[in-house]
């Protein structure tokens, strides 16, 4: 199990987002699971490729598995997860030109929408945070700020 824990400033719950599968867990302040949810990515299990055991019985990974969830943050009642893959209705070109950030409701884990953070000065997004309706992205040694356009209400 490998992933990241994120907490919002005004939220009492903590979210554990798995790196290598399409899942996240919402936890209370005692680290008890409130609910588990899946992301819209279709990868449910990690595809590990192991090398044959070497003398001495040591088995090693042939390569690192693909990151399903790269990074995440919480703002208000929403969880933002940067996806490492594109959806069935998206192209590989879209992922090459944008960072895809999927938005989920913190109250129930339901998918709300996807955001696309474009490349900035030829660089891919390396880290991000959201404050209100402002998206702050780190692109190498540049910081860019974008306004977020909401397409659905927070009632979902």
């Amino acid at each position: 199990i490998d992933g990241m824990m994120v907490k919002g400033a005004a939220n009492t719950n903590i979210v554990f987002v798995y790196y290598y599968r399409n899942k996240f867990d919402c936890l209370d302040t005692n680290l008890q699971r409130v609910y588990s949810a899946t992301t819209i990515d279709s990868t449910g299990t990690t595809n590990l490729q192991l090398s044959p055991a070497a003398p001495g019985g040591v088995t090693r990974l042939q390569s690192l598995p693909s990151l399903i969830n790269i990074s995440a943050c919480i703002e208000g009642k929403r969880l933002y997860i940067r996806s490492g893959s594109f959806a069935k209705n998206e192209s590989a070109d879209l992922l090459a030109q944008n960072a895809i950030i999927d938005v989920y409701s913190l109250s129930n884990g339901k998918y709300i929408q996807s955001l696309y953070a474009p490349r900035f000065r030829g660089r891919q997004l390396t880290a991000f945070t959201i404050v209100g309706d402002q998206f702050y992205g780190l692109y190498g040694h540049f910081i860019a700020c974008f306004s977020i356009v909401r397409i659905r209400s927070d009632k979902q």
Side-chain angles (χ1 to χ4, degrees):
I1 297 174
D2 195 6
M4 66 198 109
M5 292 186 103
V6 293
K7 184 177 183 322
N11 192 291
T12 57
N13 288 346
I14 299 165
V15 177
F16 182 82
V17 180
Y18 293 83
Y19 283 131
Y20 305 110
R21 64 175 110 156
N22 64 336
K23 183 178 176 186
F24 61 91
D25 295 325
C26 183
L27 312 168
D28 64 18
T29 55
N30 293 318
L31 300 180
Q32 297 301 309
R33 185 178 297 138
V34 177
Y35 67 83
S36 290
T38 56
T39 64
I40 60 171
D41 188 285
S42 60
T43 306
T45 58
T46 304
N47 185 13
L48 295 176
Q49 301 204 355
L50 303 174
S51 63
V58 177
T59 302
R60 299 183 190 273
L61 287 174
Q62 285 184 351
S63 62
L64 291 175
S66 299
L67 281 173
I68 303 303
N69 301 310
I70 297 172
S71 57
C73 74
I74 293 174
E75 170 57 26
K77 299 177 183 177
R78 293 177 176 209
L79 170 66
Y80 297 81
I81 299 176
R82 180 173 175 204
S83 177
S85 62
F86 52 92
K88 292 176 185 173
N89 63 342
E90 298 169 331
S91 68
D93 226 20
L94 181 69
L95 184 60
Q97 295 302 316
N98 300 277
I100 300 170
I101 299 169
D102 299 319
V103 185
Y104 301 88
S105 169
L106 266 182
S107 63
N108 57 17
K110 300 286 185 198
Y111 170 77
I112 297 172
Q113 73 183 73
S114 293
L115 306 174
Y116 300 97
R119 293 176 74 93
F120 181 77
R121 296 192 178 183
R123 292 174 170 82
Q124 271 285 14
L125 181 72
T126 53
F128 76 98
T129 192
I130 295 172
V131 179
D133 284 340
Q134 298 298 308
F135 174 95
Y136 296 93
L138 180 64
Y139 295 83
H141 59 275
F142 295 103
I143 295 176
C145 178
F146 303 99
S147 292
I148 297 173
V149 177
R150 306 266 184 216
I151 60 171
R152 296 184 185 171
S153 71
D154 281 329
K155 294 178 183 177
Q156 295 185 338

